[in-house]
Amino acid sequence: MAVIMKKKIVHVVLNLDIGGLEKVLVNCINRLPQSQYQHEVVALKGYSEEFKALLPSSVNVFSLNKKDGNDWSIFASFYKYLKCNKPDILHTYNLSTLELQLVAFICRVPLRVHAEHGRDIFDPTGSNKKYKLLRRLLFPLIHYVVAVSDDLFQWLKHDVGVKKHKLLLIANGIDTEYFKPIKETEKAQCFVFGHVGRLAKIKNQKLLIDAFLHASKIDSNFVHNAKLVIVGEGECRGELEERIKEVNLSESVSLVGAKINMLDEYRRFDAFVMSSLAEGIPMTLLEAMSCELIPVVTSVGGIPEVVNSENGYLYDSGDDQKLAQIMVQLVNKRSLAKMAGKEARKRIIDHYSEVAMVEAYSTLYQGAKTKLCVE
């Protein structure tokens, strides 16, 4: 009997902690056949033990302990790591890890993959000339570049200039059997607008608070019949806490911190709200919609590929007045949320399957692009 050699994949992320990109990574590792792949994760800055525990015990996680700013020592450390571990595949995620592809090229890693999951506050529109130049210099060293949304795909193709033969579109997907709604009788009476995300400038959660304030002024009963729950942690927490106190919304708006088990949180919500300035296709959006939550989200990045007028609401990223109007409408006519929520779940089941996503990555890791190419 022939012995099947496992492909060794090294995944490189900035931090291994709660986040959409990291969820994709963890879900893929857990779903890909263990008989075919051996995984290791390198985190440039560090990782949380709680999030690491979501991975199989066979997966080693290594931190380069990168310092803030330009820390050139990580290149030497990563070179030693690759020489010692000799992976078959290197998969980097987002711009913050891209430069390590140069090290992988020098070490002759057989298959080099890079994925773009979204942009940050320093380049929300993808127009930063320095970042474009960095990508154009390093992408020739990479075999395949993955975009998780058509918006990112078109940007990589037309603005960055990635060659067609190495550009792939692999949409994020989720487990719709796990993320599913609860029975109506278990819902609370108060209408809960829920948000999940890193508390960061790019996520723009202050707009959610301001919109909730406007909604309270539009409809005097709104503040007594609605709540806003923000799940997540990050550098903007202090600023958001101050804003909540400043506008006297401490009884109605809650910052509940980061959560690992998001299913319980989604099931407490009646609607899912986002205020991002830029996105790929957020995993939290897919999960919430799969739980039959109506999405009320900004029309940025890949979000309009998922949300339409039948299954939710889109609004401009700076328009807190529009968001406030939608909030009031949903609280006063809850049947709208229920009807759109059912369409939202159908959309995710039909187009954002975790099975399809994992199969696409497996095909990619086997070095076969034929079935993945998008014209």
Side-chain angles (χ1 to χ4, degrees):
M1 181 181 294
V3 178
I4 299 175
M5 297 296 293
K6 293 184 180 182
K7 287 183 178 289
K8 187 172 186 177
I9 308 173
V10 171
H11 305 267
V12 186
V13 295
L14 180 62
N15 290 295
L16 185 65
D17 208 339
I18 297 172
L21 179 161
E22 293 79 8
K23 283 186 179 181
V24 173
L25 169 60
V26 168
N27 292 349
C28 281
I29 290 177
N30 283 321
R31 292 288 187 175
L32 285 165
Q34 293 190 24
S35 60
Q36 295 181 32
Y37 302 102
Q38 176 188 344
H39 302 272
E40 292 199 1
V41 179
V42 173
L44 267 61
K45 287 195 168 183
Y47 58 88
S48 78
E49 290 292 342
E50 193 175 16
F51 203 78
K52 177 187 173 184
L54 300 176
L55 292 165
S57 58
S58 60
V59 177
N60 292 323
V61 179
F62 179 75
S63 175
L64 295 179
N65 298 312
K66 180 182 181 298
K67 302 180 182 70
D68 291 336
N70 293 322
D71 182 0
W72 302 108
S73 68
I74 65 167
F75 293 96
S77 299
F78 193 59
Y79 178 84
K80 292 176 183 177
Y81 173 87
L82 291 182
K83 281 296 186 181
C84 178
N85 289 274
K86 301 186 185 308
D88 300 294
I89 302 164
L90 181 79
H91 188 155
T92 53
Y93 297 77
N94 277 354
L95 183 67
S96 59
T97 65
L98 178 59
E99 292 171 304
L100 293 184
Q101 287 284 355
L102 176 59
V103 182
F105 174 77
I106 293 170
C107 292
R108 302 190 179 212
V109 176
L111 181 61
R112 300 180 294 277
V113 176
H114 178 74
E116 294 280 352
H117 285 250
R119 308 186 187 103
D120 61 25
I121 192 61
F122 302 107
D123 188 25
T125 63
S127 58
N128 185 295
K129 292 181 180 179
K130 176 184 173 183
Y131 294 162
K132 275 188 182 180
L133 178 60
L134 180 62
R135 289 182 171 97
R136 286 169 178 164
L137 289 173
L138 292 177
F139 280 171
L141 310 181
I142 298 169
H143 296 101
Y144 298 123
V145 178
V146 176
V148 303
S149 69
D150 186 60
D151 172 70
L152 287 170
F153 181 92
Q154 298 301 331
W155 167 71
L156 287 166
K157 180 180 178 181
H158 298 292
D159 288 22
V160 181
V162 180
K163 300 296 184 183
K164 185 174 72 172
H165 71 274
K166 65 170 58 180
L167 184 56
L168 308 174
L169 171 57
I170 302 178
N172 291 340
I174 61 156
D175 183 350
T176 57
E177 284 303 306
Y178 177 76
F179 290 103
K180 58 186 179 182
I182 59 173
K183 296 176 182 178
E184 291 291 326
T185 53
E186 298 179 55
K187 285 280 188 181
Q189 291 301 309
C190 193
F191 194 100
V192 179
F193 294 95
H195 168 81
V196 182
R198 183 167 43 91
L199 306 185
K201 294 290 186 184
I202 196 72
K203 302 296 183 181
N204 196 26
Q205 285 101 350
K206 181 176 176 293
L207 184 139
L208 298 178
I209 299 167
D210 290 346
F212 195 93
L213 175 64
H214 289 314
S216 301
K217 293 178 179 178
I218 293 170
D219 186 333
S220 59
N221 292 319
F222 177 88
V223 74
H224 302 295
N225 292 287
K227 291 187 181 298
L228 172 61
V229 176
I230 298 175
V231 180
E233 279 294 350
E235 63 270 21
C236 290
R237 184 182 181 95
E239 175 187 325
L240 296 174
E241 286 176 333
E242 285 184 17
R243 182 58 178 162
I244 292 169
K245 291 177 183 177
E246 180 186 351
V247 295
N248 298 315
L249 285 176
S250 298
E251 295 296 319
S252 302
V253 180
S254 304
L255 300 177
V256 299
K259 304 286 183 180
I260 290 290
N261 183 6
M262 280 310 307
L263 183 60
D264 289 344
E265 302 303 318
Y266 293 132
R267 287 176 169 176
R268 295 187 183 105
F269 301 162
D270 294 283
F272 182 76
V273 289
M274 291 189 78
S275 45
S276 301
L277 300 173
E279 286 286 355
I281 291 185
M283 290 290 280
T284 54
L285 173 64
L286 303 183
E287 292 167 356
M289 290 175 68
S290 187
C291 291
E292 287 192 3
L293 294 176
I294 180 174
V296 183
V297 291
T298 46
S299 182
V300 297
I303 289 178
E305 299 167 35
V306 186
V307 179
N308 56 47
S309 59
E310 293 182 357
N311 61 37
Y313 291 93
L314 293 166
Y315 66 97
D316 292 337
S317 60
D319 196 347
D320 54 357
Q321 298 283 351
K322 179 63 175 179
L323 175 56
Q325 292 170 8
I326 297 170
M327 285 178 158
V328 170
Q329 184 180 20
L330 290 176
V331 169
N332 290 329
K333 196 172 181 181
R334 301 188 181 201
S335 59
L336 291 175
K338 292 178 183 177
M339 288 187 294
K342 294 185 183 301
E343 289 297 321
R345 176 167 169 79
K346 184 177 184 299
R347 175 73 174 161
I348 302 307
I349 291 172
D350 291 346
H351 297 282
Y352 295 94
S353 157
E354 184 177 79
V355 172
M357 176 186 72
V358 172
E359 285 180 354
Y361 279 111
S362 183
T363 302
L364 170 60
Y365 292 150
Q366 293 300 327
K369 185 189 172 188
T370 309
K371 296 179 181 178
L372 299 174
C373 189
V374 178
E375 298 296 335

